[in-house]
């Protein structure tokens, strides 16, 4: 074991001592409570409204692709999924083959345009690391190399996709593409500053608080901020920790600012947190699933996200989004060239949901 000391170069018992990393020095003698407390500015009400639009869009996407069959479509999920039964005898649940957890992420560029989305695909790849945010970040990097927007082009329209024509976009607006003024589809101008700052104006929306892997990937990608719609106590506030530590150093990457749903007055944040807390207590006595051999009593948040309670929260959010027309700050727009107003964002978000429903997939099938 190597001791860690605040003074570089010191030795303990003749053994070398590793110096405290610069990002941790301001917090070295402070409590954990102080370390995880963010010192960010409150989110302004017009920006809160904008965040809520994208958050409702994300919950609507997840509801449309909902699959609660974590342990298969046959078996017994008890009262946890009673409303998702297709057949009572034998018990079969709707949703089909489970591809991954009901967790998704959405990326939005500096102008307010949706870049793309992705889901957790752990079961597709038999992997524990195919998380929504990490998959999405890799996807966005790829989309910058090949012009392949989610908006359907004229050829797709001629094939009867049935989705309204959308404004053509050269590429998503980020710190890099804002400087590539002469860039055109499939002929991206090479900018020497490269990929390190490519996503520095991108906001990621994720349905569940990010883990260490996803936080690290978004940090390396220089994502601006991440809005999460449900807390996950099992991730130990890693987003806050990374944000505090990377901001305290003068070099290298800065982790995205975590924005919890309660910071944008998003009521479903509390609904999901309360539902998960209740599930965690009751599942010990009321198994989430049994195949007749061994009951599953683990208080996993991914199991909660299969339940009728979670489904109802998402259903309520999707219903609100479908009827949302009136905005308190319809003309608000960020101080960015060509930025969309909140009114335009709402129209575009509804258009994007229509696209997702047309694709009928848990992620866009891009040609990359």
């Amino acid at each position: 074991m190597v001791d860690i000391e605040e003074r570089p170069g010191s030795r303990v018992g003749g053994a070398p001592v590793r110096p405290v990393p610069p990002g941790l020095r301001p917090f070295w003698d402070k409590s954990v409570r102080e370390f995880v407390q963010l010192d960010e500015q409150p989110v302004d009400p017009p920006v809160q409204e904008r965040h809520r639009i994208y958050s409702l869009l994300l919950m609507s996407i997840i509801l449309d692709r909902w699959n609660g069959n974590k342990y298969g479509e046959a078996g017994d999920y008890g009262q946890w999924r009673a409303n998702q039964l297709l057949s009572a005898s034998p018990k079969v649940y709707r949703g089909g083959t489970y591809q991954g957890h009901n967790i998704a992420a959405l990326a939005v560029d500096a102008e307010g345009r949706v870049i793309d989305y992705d889901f957790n695909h752990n079961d597709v790849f038999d992997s524990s690391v195919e998380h929504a945010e990490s998959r999405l970040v890799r996807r966005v990097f790829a989309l910058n190399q090949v012009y392949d927007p989610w908006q359907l082009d004229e050829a797709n329209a001629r094939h009867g996709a049935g989705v309204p024509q959308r404004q053509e976009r050269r590429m998503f607006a980020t710190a890099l593409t804002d400087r590539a003024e002469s860039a055109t589809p499939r002929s991206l101008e090479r900018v020497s500053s490269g990929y390190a700052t490519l996503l520095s104006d991108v906001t990621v929306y994720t349905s569940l608080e990010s883990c260490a892997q996803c936080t690290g990937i978004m940090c390396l990608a220089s994502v601006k901020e991440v809005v999460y719609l449900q807390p996950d106590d099992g991730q130990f506030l890693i987003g806050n920790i990374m944000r505090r530590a990377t901001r305290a150093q003068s070099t290298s990457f800065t982790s995205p600012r975590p924005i919890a749903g309660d910071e944008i007055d998003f009521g479903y944040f509390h609904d999901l947190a309360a539902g998960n807390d209740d599930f965690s207590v009751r599942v010990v006595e009321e198994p989430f699933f049994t195949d007749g051999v061994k009951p599953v009593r683990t208080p996993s948040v991914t199991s909660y996200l299969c339940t009728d309670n979670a489904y109802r929260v998402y259903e309520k959010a999707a219903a609100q989004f479908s009827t949302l027309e009136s905005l308190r700050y319809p003309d608000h727009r960020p101080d960015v060239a060509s930025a969309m107003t909140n009114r335009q964002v709402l129209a575009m978000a509804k258009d994007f949901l229509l696209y997702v429903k047309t694709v009928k997939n848990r992620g866009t099938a891009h040609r990359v």
Side-chain angles (χ1 to χ4, degrees), residues 5 38 51 65 81 96 103 119 127 145 163 177 201 247-248 250 275 308 332:
E5 268 290 340
L38 296 177
H51 284 319
R65 300 288 90 201
R81 298 188 61 215
I103 304 169
F119 269 79
S127 166
Q145 304 303 315
V163 178
T177 57
D201 289 328
R247 287 189 74 194
S250 59
D308 289 340
H332 166 76

Side-chain angles (χ1 to χ4, degrees), residues 252-272:
S252 191
F253 302 94
T254 300
S255 197
R257 174 188 176 178
I259 301 176
D262 58 356
E263 295 182 62
I264 61 170
D265 196 23
F266 197 64
Y268 303 112
F269 181 86
H270 297 286
D271 294 341
L272 290 168

Side-chain angles (χ1 to χ4, degrees), residues 34 50 69 78 96-97 99-100 115-116 174 181 240 264 278 296:
E34 290 176 287
R50 198 175 184 89
N69 295 331
T97 302
Q99 297 179 313
I115 303 171
D116 216 336
T174 65
E181 297 179 355
N240 293 33
I264 61 170
D278 178 69
V296 177

Side-chain angles (χ1 to χ4, degrees), residues 80 274-286 297 299:
W80 295 112
N276 184 57
D277 287 345
D278 178 69
F279 173 80
S280 298
V281 172
R282 292 170 50 202
V283 75
V284 177
E285 299 295 332
E286 305 171 37
R297 303 178 187 274

Side-chain angles (χ1 to χ4, degrees), residues 155-173:
N156 286 337
R158 286 197 298 272
H159 284 89
V163 178
Q165 186 70 27
R166 301 169 172 86
Q167 178 183 1
E168 292 185 4
R169 290 288 296 156
R170 171 174 74 198
M171 59 186 70
F172 55 90

Side-chain angles (χ1 to χ4, degrees), residues 271-335:
D271 294 341
L272 290 168
N276 184 57
D277 287 345
D278 178 69
F279 173 80
S280 298
V281 172
R282 292 170 50 202
V283 75
V284 177
E285 299 295 332
E286 305 171 37
F288 172 65
F289 176 81
T290 181
D291 57 3
V293 179
K294 184 178 181 181
V296 177
R297 303 178 187 274
T298 309
S300 166
V301 66
T302 57
S303 293
Y304 166 69
L305 288 170
C306 296
T307 66
D308 289 340
N309 177 274
Y311 184 91
R312 284 192 293 270
V313 176
Y314 275 80
E315 190 175 43
K316 185 178 178 180
Q320 179 184 351
F321 182 66
S322 68
T323 59
L324 183 60
E325 294 181 358
S326 177
L327 298 174
R328 188 172 181 181
Y329 305 99
D331 298 320
H332 166 76
R333 73 172 81 227
D335 188 19

Side-chain angles (χ1 to χ4, degrees), residues 31 37 95 129 139 149 151 189-190 201 241 245 250 255 262 279 287 307 316 328 339 347 364:
S31 68
Q37 295 293 334
V129 299
R139 178 188 292 276
Q151 293 95 331
E189 174 187 344
R190 300 297 176 183
D201 289 328
I241 293 170
S250 59
S255 197
D262 58 356
F279 173 80
T307 66
K316 185 178 178 180
R328 188 172 181 181
T364 307

